[in-house]
């Protein structure tokens, strides 16, 4: 799965969490733009982990602030 396919799948997963209908770009912030609270982040990350069969550590989660960073991290974990 290349980065574009990873991006497309994450966009699909993000759709139900995007309550405000924000246009998601590489620079979209989960906290500021999408207004995800900690519970929403946990649910969203769990869905991604299940879909891609990966584990995103708490340290990695703390470093991911934007949508593009998430796609890069998931793509890297899938490629490892």
């Amino acid at each position: 799965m290349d980065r574009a396919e990873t991006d497309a799948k994450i966009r699909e997963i993000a759709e139900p969490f995007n309550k405000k209908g924000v246009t998601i770009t590489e620079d979209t912030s989960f906290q500021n733009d999408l207004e995800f609270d900690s519970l929403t982040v946990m649910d969203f990350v769990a869905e991604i982990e299940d879909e891609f069969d990966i584990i995103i550590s708490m340290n990695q989660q703390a470093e991911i602030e934007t949508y593009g960073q998430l796609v890069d991290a998931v793509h890297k974990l899938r490629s490892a």
Side-chain angles (χ1 to χ4, degrees):
M1 178 177 285
D2 65 18
R3 189 183 187 283
E5 292 169 321
T6 301
D7 179 5
K9 190 62 188 173
I10 294 174
R11 284 181 190 277
E12 192 178 299
I13 294 167
E15 193 62 38
F17 292 94
N18 186 2
K19 304 287 188 209
K20 294 186 168 251
V22 172
T23 300
I24 297 176
T25 68
E26 292 283 313
D27 296 321
T28 299
S29 162
F30 293 105
Q31 185 174 9
N32 297 327
D33 298 323
L34 295 172
E35 299 180 5
F36 281 13
D37 61 20
S38 57
L39 183 59
T40 303
V41 169
M42 286 177 49
D43 289 344
F44 181 56
V45 168
E47 292 238 4
I48 290 171
E49 289 176 332
D50 289 348
E51 176 65 35
F52 291 97
D53 194 26
I54 58 172
I55 299 292
I56 303 172
S57 73
M58 294 300 281
N59 288 343
Q60 286 172 306
Q61 289 179 39
E63 295 174 3
I64 296 170
E65 296 180 2
T66 66
Y67 179 81
Q69 290 172 331
L70 175 65
V71 174
D72 288 341
V74 171
H75 183 66
K76 185 177 179 181
L77 287 167
R78 290 275 301 157
S79 301

